[in-house]
Amino acid sequence: MEIIKKYFSDFTPRQLEQIQVLERLYPEWNSKINVISRKDIDNLEVNHILHSLAIARFIRFIPGTCVLDLGTGGGFPGIPLALCFPDVQFMLVDRTGKKLAVAKDVAREAGITNVDFYHGDVKEVKGEFHFVVSRAVMDLNDMVPLVRKLISREGHNALPNGLICLKGGDLEAEIRRFRKSVIVEDLMEYFPQEYFKSKKIVYLPI
């Protein structure tokens, strides 16, 4: 937790307690259900929790914002973001029930109440959201048609409503058609750990 405290020094004692719950429960759950690569579970703090919180360094959601986490799996990036922004409402969506059950249990045990869960396809989700976030789920070209109808036209954050993705590797071909509007930032600008060397945040207003 010391690394998270370094970059999020404004976290309250309650939020730090919640981080401790995440760091305790995910390894316990991972021994039963593989929500994180077993080779990577020892790197939970940096590679999963801090990685998810990179979105909080890119944008500070204001209270009342609604965010959908597409393909949340066991709760990334949605659970750490909901912890970070207790006055923002999150909807975590995944088609794998076992992984979503882990996210539900972690949120309940950590006392993170600003989350709802949807087990199914994002095509079935009703409602409007200011932002859709995701972590290495699918190509932008496939994702944009799925989420366009879910993005509200009424915005009140510093950035226009849209899609915020955590991705890695060479994104040149993926972002080509969106070049006029997409913003890509290297996560090494936020966190100098080696893990983030090839990691990026991609923002596309919709």
Side-chain angles (χ1 to χ4, degrees), residues 61-93:
F61 297 124
I62 69 170
T65 299
C66 294
V67 180
L68 183 145
D69 178 6
L70 172 59
T72 191
F76 299 103
I79 294 292
L81 288 175
L83 182 158
C84 184
F85 298 108
D87 295 321
V88 171
Q89 191 63 36
F90 289 82
M91 169 73 77
L92 277 56
V93 179

Side-chain angles (χ1 to χ4, degrees), residues 54 70 116 173 195:
L70 172 59
D116 294 310
Y195 173 76

Side-chain angles (χ1 to χ4, degrees), residues 15 17 21 41 54 74 91 121 145 155 172 187 193-194 196 206:
Q15 287 172 311
E17 289 175 2
V21 174
I41 191 63
M91 169 73 77
D121 197 296
E172 186 64 28
L187 293 193
Q193 280 77 9
E194 183 68 19
F196 298 108
I206 294 179

